Amino acid sequence: MKVSDDLWYMQMALEEANRAYKLDEVPIGAVIVGPQGEVLAKECNFKEKNNDPCGHAEILAIKAAAQKIGDWRLINSTLYVTLEPCPMCLAAMVQARVKRVVFGAYDSKGGALSLNYNLYKDNRLNHAFKVTGGILHFECSKLLSTFFREKRGKYSYKQG
């Protein structure tokens, strides 16, 4: 894929992240694109509303794409996500056999790659894929920062 394609699909993922933001969910969005450039799934986080620790945008998008194509193997697909995947999501991407992952903001506290969980290139596993990070990093980071700043403001301690 070309950089312009990555920007286009990451912008779609950002739209999903904005949807999550409006629903008072952590604003993370994911889009899965098939080998011909067709959008297979678009999802956002639903951890809070569904009380689901696995309700990450990536997991929901993987499930939706698999249902759409009728196969759990998302071979030759690209997954776009606005935040660096956590270890759980990275493992799900290995299981789903994605070809490539593109993410926006880096996550030094919870991102699998930043924490050096490099499952995507571990030759002991039966699948590996390519990863590109930092696409629309500023926009993705800004949305997350705004969300958490607003949350801290709502729950700040008030002196009496």
Side-chain angles (χ1 to χ4, degrees):
M1 292 228 173
K2 299 179 281 188
V3 173
S4 60
D5 292 338
D6 286 347
L7 293 170
W8 175 262
Y9 294 117
M10 186 58 76
Q11 189 60 49
M12 268 187 213
L14 257 171
E15 289 170 12
E16 286 298 307
N18 274 299
R19 182 168 71 102
Y21 178 86
K22 290 173 185 167
L23 296 169
D24 203 30
E25 290 280 347
V26 175
I28 299 169
V31 173
I32 298 181
V33 178
Q36 307 304 319
E38 70 279 21
V39 174
L40 299 177
K42 297 189 298 186
E43 293 290 339
C44 66
N45 264 12
F46 273 105
K47 277 178 67 172
E48 302 301 324
K49 298 278 186 233
N50 294 342
N51 294 311
D52 181 1
C54 298
H56 292 205
E58 302 96 304
I59 300 288
L60 298 174
I62 287 169
K63 290 170 75 171
Q67 289 298 307
K68 182 173 185 171
I69 67 169
D71 193 344
W72 61 266
R73 295 170 197 87
L74 301 178
I75 296 169
N76 294 321
S77 66
T78 301
L79 190 150
Y80 293 85
V81 62
T82 56
L83 182 65
E84 177 183 347
C86 72
M88 175 183 70
C89 291
L90 194 68
M93 293 168 198
V94 170
Q95 291 299 314
R97 309 293 194 267
V98 298
K99 181 178 182 179
R100 184 168 172 246
V101 172
V102 179
F103 68 88
Y106 285 86
D107 183 1
S108 61
K109 294 180 181 177
L113 289 87
S114 291
L115 296 173
N116 218 16
Y117 293 114
N118 295 314
L119 295 172
Y120 71 100
K121 62 181 181 180
D122 188 332
N123 62 12
R124 296 170 295 175
L125 299 173
N126 63 355
H127 180 69
F129 54 86
K130 295 179 180 173
V131 174
T132 303
I135 302 295
L136 296 182
H137 171 80
F138 177 77
E139 293 87 340
C140 296
S141 293
K142 184 177 179 188
L143 182 60
L144 285 158
S145 296
T146 299
F147 177 80
F148 286 114
R149 188 177 324 106
E150 289 172 358
K151 284 288 181 199
R152 282 189 299 272
K154 288 179 184 174
Y155 300 112
S156 64
Y157 176 74
K158 296 181 182 178
Q159 294 184 11

